[in-house]
Amino acid sequence: MKRKILGVFVTVMFGCMVLSGCKKNVGTPEDNAVVENEDEQAQDTETSEGHTFGYSCIDIYNPYYDVVKESIRGELEAKGDTLVVKNPDGDVNKQIQQIQEMIDEGVDAVFLAPVDWEAIKPALEALDEADIPVINVDTQVKDTDLTAVYIGSDNKNAGAVCGENLKTQCPDGGKVVLLECPFQNSDAGGTKESAKEKMAQILAENPQVDAVMCGNDQMALGALQAAKEAGKSSLKIYGVDGSPEMKSELTDEKSMIAATGAQSPINVG
C-alpha cells in the first residue's frame, strides 16, 4: 500500500514566524529564492529504485513555493527518490487536471498547496481513490480527512507579530486595510497584480488609509506599487513570507514597507 511510505510523517505546525522589519536584519542568503522560469517535467524513473513524489503548489513563480520545492527535492533526492513538479499558475482547475496527470503517471505521494482550499476537493478524492497519500503543505485544505498530514507555519502568529509592530508604529490608531484571499485559509496565493489593482481602488475610495496588512509579500509589493502610483509616501505596508524582494525593500529607509512576518520555506520543505 502506498500509504505505508508515510509512516514516518507527523502533523507539524511550525512556530517559525518572526518579524523581519524596522530596516534591520533582512534574512540570510539561503532563504533567498532563485525562481526558475520553466515548467519541470517528470524525470525518467523506470530505473529508479526510490519513490516518485508529485509537487503541486499555488504558483511556482512565488519565491516562497520555489524554495519549498527545492528543499523537498533535496531531501528526496538524497534518499534516491524523484520529484515531479507541476505548476497550475494559480488556476485550481488546471491544478486538478495536473494532479490527475500525476495519478496517471503513478506517483507514490503528492505534496500539495491548494490554489483553492475548498475547490480542490475533486483532486483529493481522486488521489484518495488511487490510494495516493497527500502531504498538505503551507495552505491547509478544507477536507483534511482526505490528507495524510499537514505541514505549515503559524499563520495566526504571522498576523500577530505584524499587528504588534503596527501598534508601536501607530500608537494613536488609524485606518487599516486588509488584503487577503477569501478562498484560501492562508494567503500565499495572492498575486502582486491583483493586490495592486485592489489597492488602487481602495485608495481612490479611501484616501486616508494609514496601514495595509497583506496576506503575503507578493500582495504587499503590489500594494506598494499602487500606493506609489497614487502619490502616497507615508503608508505602512506589512506582508508575510520574508521574500527576497521584501528584504530588499526593508533595507530602504524610505520604503513604505514596514515589516514582514518571516517564514522558513526551507524548514517547511
Side-chain angles (χ1 to χ4, degrees):
M1 297 289 287
K2 290 181 178 179
R3 295 192 185 280
K4 291 182 179 179
I5 69 173
L6 286 185
V8 297
F9 283 96
V10 294
T11 301
V12 178
M13 176 68 76
F14 286 104
C16 60
M17 304 305 305
V18 294
L19 190 69
S20 176
C22 303
K23 316 306 179 187
K24 296 182 181 178
N25 185 353
V26 293
T28 55
E30 57 266 27
D31 278 331
N32 290 344
V34 177
V35 180
E36 300 173 1
N37 295 317
E38 59 185 38
D39 290 333
E40 301 177 45
Q41 301 300 323
Q43 299 179 22
D44 183 3
T45 61
E46 290 184 2
T47 60
S48 173
E49 297 179 357
H51 297 289
T52 300
F53 290 81
Y55 178 74
S56 177
C57 64
I58 295 170
D59 185 353
I60 202 65
Y61 297 118
N62 183 325
Y64 179 88
Y65 287 118
D66 188 60
V67 174
V68 171
K69 175 201 71 179
E70 290 304 322
S71 183
I72 292 172
R73 190 200 298 279
E75 292 292 329
L76 294 180
E77 291 185 347
K79 301 178 185 300
D81 299 326
T82 302
L83 186 65
V84 176
V85 179
K86 305 279 188 179
N87 182 25
D89 294 316
D91 184 335
V92 67
N93 292 320
K94 185 176 180 181
Q95 187 172 45
I96 292 171
Q97 175 186 343
Q98 290 177 341
I99 288 174
Q100 184 59 54
E101 292 171 2
M102 290 181 182
I103 295 172
D104 296 339
E105 291 166 8
V107 298
D108 294 293
V110 171
F111 293 93
L112 172 67
V115 172
D116 186 310
W117 77 313
E118 187 172 9
I120 195 64
K121 186 175 181 179
L124 296 176
E125 292 176 331
L127 287 163
D128 185 66
E129 178 67 23
D131 197 26
I132 298 174
V134 176
I135 306 159
N136 188 191
V137 178
D138 183 69
T139 303
Q140 196 165 28
V141 302
K142 183 175 182 180
D143 299 284
T144 56
D145 59 318
L146 294 174
T147 64
V149 62
Y150 170 68
I151 303 173
S153 302
D154 188 343
N155 292 312
K156 183 176 180 180
N157 190 50
V161 294
C162 289
E164 288 296 325
N165 181 268
L166 179 57
K167 287 195 297 183
T168 65
Q169 298 286 338
C170 301
D172 297 326
K175 293 184 179 180
V176 180
V177 170
L178 299 179
L179 285 182
E180 59 182 358
C181 296
F183 51 85
Q184 294 169 1
N185 70 343
S186 87
D187 294 305
T191 66
K192 184 186 299 185
E193 293 74 18
S194 62
K196 177 186 175 183
E197 179 182 346
K198 293 297 182 182
M199 193 65 214
Q201 180 181 345
I202 290 170
L203 290 174
E205 299 172 355
N206 304 274
Q208 298 303 315
V209 170
D210 297 291
V212 186
M213 178 63 210
C214 303
N216 71 10
D217 284 351
Q218 294 301 301
M219 298 177 76
L221 292 167
L224 174 64
Q225 194 170 355
K228 287 180 177 179
E229 293 180 3
K232 303 294 181 181
S233 60
S234 60
L235 279 179
K236 300 185 184 305
I237 302 174
Y238 292 81
V240 175
D241 281 347
S243 66
E245 286 183 271
M246 285 288 278
K247 291 174 182 178
S248 178
E249 285 292 335
L250 289 169
T251 65
D252 182 357
E253 294 286 346
K254 297 181 180 180
S255 177
M256 286 181 280
I257 296 296
T260 182
Q263 304 184 81
S264 176
I266 292 176
N267 287 340
V268 170

